[in-house]
Amino acid sequence: MDLELASRLSRPNSTRIVLCVLDGLGGLQRRSTGRSELEQARTPNLDRLAQDSETGLSVPVGAGITPGSGPGHLALFGYDPLQYDIGRGVLEATGIGFPLEPTDVAARGNFCTLDAAGNITDRRAGRVATEHAAGLVERLRQIHLPRAQVFVEPVREHRFVAVLRGDGLDDAVSGTDPQITGVPPLEARAMHEGSGPTAILVNEFVRQAGEILAGEPQANGLMLRGFSKYPALPQFPEVWKLRAAALAVYPMYRGLAQLGGMEPLACPGGLEEQLDVLKRHWDDFDFFFVHYKKTDAAGEDGDFERKCRALEEFDQWLPSLLALQPDVLVITGDHSTPALLAAHSWHPVPFLLHSNYCRKGDSGAFNETECRRGVLGVFPAVDTTPLAMAHALRMEKYGA
Amino acid sequence: MDLELASRLSRPNSTRIVLCVLDGLGGLQRRSTGRSELEQARTPNLDRLAQDSETGLSVPVGAGITPGSGPGHLALFGYDPLQYDIGRGVLEATGIGFPLEPTDVAARGNFCTLDAAGNITDRRAGRVATEHAAGLVERLRQIHLPRAQVFVEPVREHRFVAVLRGDGLDDAVSGTDPQITGVPPLEARAMHEGSGPTAILVNEFVRQAGEILAGEPQANGLMLRGFSKYPALPQFPEVWKLRAAALAVYPMYRGLAQLGGMEPLACPGGLEEQLDVLKRHWDDFDFFFVHYKKTDAAGEDGDFERKCRALEEFDQWLPSLLALQPDVLVITGDHSTPALLAAHSWHPVPFLLHSNYCRKGDSGAFNETECRRGVLGVFPAVDTTPLAMAHALRMEKYGA
């Protein structure tokens, strides 16, 4: 839905909407058993709920398009992910709560290990300890660039954020991560004319960093990618007239929600803590985005069984969420991460919406096969928020 | 998918994709039996493959829109057929390998039979023999127009191509074929101001042709239609990073593929020869478009039984194609041609995609009814190439 139309039609009321995103939810059937992760996992609570919900398969971005986490979540929040593009640098910076300014250029950084010839031997510097990396980041703050301020912030293990602040910076700069080992990091390149000066600054940053890190045993190099500026997203709470909160373990997902104007609530403890936070803030917000990462992590590792267990863990938690009696509950994913592919994929994602105003479908359980038989069919993920809003009776009639 | 995005996301690898287009594949159930052509034909190989594939019904252009061959194929190749419009003249010219220049205006020509009063008695001049028509075309080359070169090329039987080359030619000219007999051919008319001079040239061409053909017993007249210029199609091999070949019996389909930059491989012998060519060139290309015409020809003739036999012939051939083990195999049509209508129709087209990364669906066979139960649902045909690319693991992730 066009967001101007959404602002025109949305209206506040006293309902509560919960959107549970099981990251990388969708899977693929194993040849040996003919069953997907969701089909193999024992998920009686999800299955029972699916029988009493509107179900379908949602397409995150478009046919054949494998989404990253950014586009996958944006779609669920109602932003057309082809229209609103968020760079990795901005995502990471927002995820750690860095106060980005509109003209800043942010990048995601990785420490890496270089050999004597300057070739990369480990793209993650042996996943250097978070505390040690924080010390290295502290030292990188010595870097001085002409006509630009530099900010470097630690994230976790080998990951950090670098932000350039100054006039006329442009984010159309290619990353320096070659994505393979045995070669040196790439030079940053301007991807159009206007970004030439920024590319020069980036390469100078890398040069000075090399001198600073030279004596390090593991993290003696770094790579930068995802150069990006803050996107101008229409704010979710204004568009939909919802007080919205984001409950996530990982900073990136809170950061993403925050870009849309949601209030980030850290829950490092996972599902149990997310439930506590939900209860504590049940009266403070109208919309709760609950992010669950374990499904994706297992899928990315190609670990079918662990993904099943992650699904079962969520299923066991579900009754305590239902006890809060949200008016609208959506359970879906931001994309598929089939263990078979050990990666994100383009496959549509199982989707369930429960409210008092659901049509009955043919889904006997919550999985890829059964959701396809649901009343929503195969539909764009960007319809998720409008559908949730409608079921919450938070949308005015269109036209007289 | 937007083709700029497609170029950004596509990547090469060593997989092979085969797209089989059964022209006019979709049908309609006969009242007497309740079965469509696909439902009546014995197609055990297609049925078995459908059970192990992602299936659906693809919509060539849009709800209620009956596509010609051009739009139907363009959609399958990933071009939005409402955005990219290819005239019949250009199609025919390209199909016979005529080297069209960007400013040329091409038209499809038909010889016809006129009575003494100048009224059409046979719109195809009794399907005059190809050899005889070639002689007539040779004589038409005497035509001289002011400020424009004229090219006339035979195609097959009563069909030929006429091309005007010169400065300031405009293709917005109406055809001269009234589509009925008992009336004279129409005057060519300018469809906007700028095409006035071209319309005058066309009418002068027709006048001189009338003098040249006057003594002919059958082909004593001609009609021109589909005036068109070369379209600027983004090139398929560049957009998708595929070496692409087109295997078709009829020149028009090779021509169509060639407009998109595919390499045309003539297979006048039909399926057996197409298989030989596939085998011979299996290492030379990544993408093979295989065109099968008999289904459409039978449908156009309203011959239900013959369309069934054409489907059975393809089905018998299928195992030899499967033996080549393409990584991705798509079997669909460019549109429906139900024998019941004896014409192209708007009905969605049965679709099957087979790869190692398919979700299981509910299709027990390959036909209109069973494909609707497939995981892809009813979807736009323009998604075909993106889906095939994704299943070939030839698409990068979108966004971080």
Side-chain angles (χ1 to χ4, degrees), chain B residues 10-211:
Chain B
S10 63
R11 63 179 177 200
N13 66 19
S14 63
T15 55
R16 295 282 172 284
I17 301 173
V18 176
L19 167 65
C20 288
V21 178
L22 281 69
D23 205 304
L25 174 63
L28 280 174
Q29 282 104 359
R30 267 212 288 223
R31 285 269 151 189
S32 54
T33 63
R35 284 201 295 270
S36 73
E37 298 90 324
L38 268 171
E39 285 165 343
Q40 176 157 319
R42 243 188 65 80
T43 53
N45 297 305
L46 280 166
D47 293 345
R48 201 175 311 118
L49 191 64
Q51 291 164 22
D52 196 28
S53 296
E54 299 201 351
T55 56
L57 289 172
S58 78
V59 178
V61 181
I65 298 181
T66 295
S69 304
H73 279 87
L74 283 194
L76 293 174
F77 301 157
Y79 301 99
D80 176 351
L82 292 172
Q83 183 182 350
Y84 299 99
D85 197 5
I86 293 186
R88 188 73 184 207
V90 166
L91 258 189
E92 293 274 332
T94 313
I96 57 167
F98 183 88
L100 272 184
E101 297 190 356
T103 55
D104 291 352
V105 169
R108 168 170 169 177
N110 275 20
F111 289 112
C112 63
T113 311
L114 305 175
D115 64 15
N119 292 325
I120 301 164
T121 57
D122 186 334
R123 290 178 52 247
R124 295 180 181 85
R127 289 193 183 273
V128 56
T130 301
E131 299 70 32
H132 185 68
L136 298 178
V137 161
E138 184 66 42
R139 287 166 57 197
L140 292 179
R141 290 177 184 153
Q142 301 164 27
I143 295 175
H144 281 287
L145 298 179
R147 291 180 311 284
Q149 260 183 292
V150 178
F151 302 87
V152 196
E153 299 290 339
V155 177
R156 179 189 274 236
E157 295 175 340
H158 57 289
R159 285 159 47 200
F160 63 89
V161 168
V163 175
L164 302 184
R165 178 169 297 167
D167 286 340
L169 295 178
D170 190 307
D171 60 1
V173 171
S174 66
T176 71
D177 182 352
Q179 302 275 350
I180 50 169
T181 56
V183 299
L186 303 170
E187 285 270 297
R189 289 190 326 276
M191 286 153 77
H192 61 61
E193 248 179 76
S195 53
T198 309
I200 291 170
L201 291 179
V202 169
N203 287 322
E204 173 60 16
F205 176 95
V206 173
R207 195 192 60 74
Q208 293 184 33
E211 291 176 1

Side-chain angles (χ1 to χ4, degrees), chain A residues 57-292:
Chain A
L57 289 172
S58 79
V59 178
V61 180
I65 298 181
T66 295
S69 304
H73 279 87
L74 283 195
L76 294 174
F77 300 157
Y79 302 99
D80 176 349
L82 291 172
Q83 183 183 349
Y84 300 100
D85 198 3
I86 294 184
R88 189 74 184 207
V90 166
L91 259 189
E92 293 274 332
T94 314
I96 58 169
F98 183 89
L100 271 185
E101 298 190 356
T103 56
D104 291 351
V105 168
R108 170 171 168 175
N110 275 20
F111 289 112
C112 64
T113 311
L114 305 176
D115 65 16
N119 293 325
I120 301 163
T121 56
D122 186 334
R123 290 177 54 247
R124 296 180 181 85
R127 290 194 183 271
V128 56
T130 302
E131 300 69 33
H132 185 68
L136 298 178
V137 161
E138 184 66 43
R139 286 167 57 197
L140 291 179
R141 291 178 182 150
Q142 301 164 27
I143 294 175
H144 282 287
L145 299 180
R147 292 180 311 282
Q149 259 184 292
V150 177
F151 302 87
V152 196
E153 299 291 339
V155 177
R156 179 188 275 237
E157 295 175 341
H158 56 289
R159 285 160 46 200
F160 63 89
V161 168
V163 175
L164 302 184
R165 178 169 298 166
D167 286 339
L169 296 178
D170 189 307
D171 59 2
V173 172
S174 66
T176 71
D177 183 351
Q179 303 275 349
I180 49 171
T181 57
V183 299
L186 304 169
E187 285 268 298
R189 289 189 326 277
M191 287 153 76
H192 61 61
E193 248 180 74
S195 53
T198 309
I200 291 169
L201 291 178
V202 169
N203 287 322
E204 174 60 17
F205 176 95
V206 173
R207 195 192 62 76
Q208 293 184 33
E211 291 175 0
I212 292 168
L213 301 173
E216 282 293 312
Q218 285 190 301
N220 63 344
L222 56 73
M223 303 180 294
L224 299 171
R225 61 188 167 113
F227 293 97
S228 42
K229 288 191 172 186
Y230 198 87
L233 288 184
Q235 297 295 283
F236 187 93
E238 287 159 32
V239 171
W240 304 103
K241 303 187 184 77
L242 289 165
R243 299 167 301 165
L247 290 71
V249 174
Y250 286 78
M252 207 208 350
Y253 306 98
R254 289 197 302 278
L256 201 38
Q258 210 176 350
L259 286 176
M262 295 187 203
E263 178 86 15
L265 303 174
C267 311
L271 286 177
E272 287 315 314
E273 187 174 12
Q274 282 167 311
L275 188 69
D276 289 344
V277 173
L278 273 175
K279 285 180 184 162
R280 206 156 59 237
H281 289 285
W282 196 243
D283 291 331
D284 305 333
F285 296 96
D286 309 301
F287 179 96
F288 301 89
F289 154 53
V290 178
H291 183 263
Y292 181 63

Side-chain angles (χ1 to χ4, degrees), chain A residues 1-13 236-242 385-400:
Chain A
M1 185 184 299
D2 175 81
L3 296 182
E4 279 204 34
L5 178 61
S7 335
R8 228 173 82 201
L9 299 183
S10 63
R11 64 180 180 198
N13 66 20
F236 187 93
E238 287 159 32
V239 171
W240 304 103
K241 303 187 184 77
L242 289 165
T385 294
L387 281 171
M389 287 285 296
H391 280 264
L393 307 184
R394 282 174 173 268
M395 297 291 274
E396 302 278 0
K397 190 159 62 177
Y398 171 72

Side-chain angles (χ1 to χ4, degrees), chain B residues 25-27 38 56-58 331-333 336 348-352 366-368 371:
Chain B
L25 174 63
L38 268 171
L57 289 172
S58 78
I331 301 177
T332 187
S336 293
V349 185
F351 180 98
L352 161 171
F366 187 64
N367 59 48
E368 295 79 5
C371 282

Side-chain angles (χ1 to χ4, degrees), chain A residues 26-29 31 34 63-71 81-82 88 336 340-341 344 346-348 368 372-373 378, chain B residues 1 5 8-9 52 54 355-362 373-375 383 386-387 390-391 393 395-400:
Chain A
L28 279 174
Q29 283 106 359
R31 285 266 150 192
I65 298 181
T66 295
S69 304
L82 291 172
R88 189 74 184 207
S336 294
L340 189 66
L341 279 164
H344 292 199
W346 63 93
H347 298 87
E368 296 79 5
R372 190 174 35 76
R373 302 191 181 120
V378 181
Chain B
M1 184 184 302
L5 179 61
R8 226 174 82 201
L9 298 182
D52 196 28
E54 299 201 351
S355 86
N356 282 334
Y357 307 108
C358 283
R359 284 215 176 123
K360 230 175 21 184
D362 284 341
R373 302 195 178 112
V375 299
D383 290 349
L387 281 171
H391 279 265
L393 307 184
M395 297 288 275
E396 302 278 358
K397 192 159 65 173
Y398 171 71

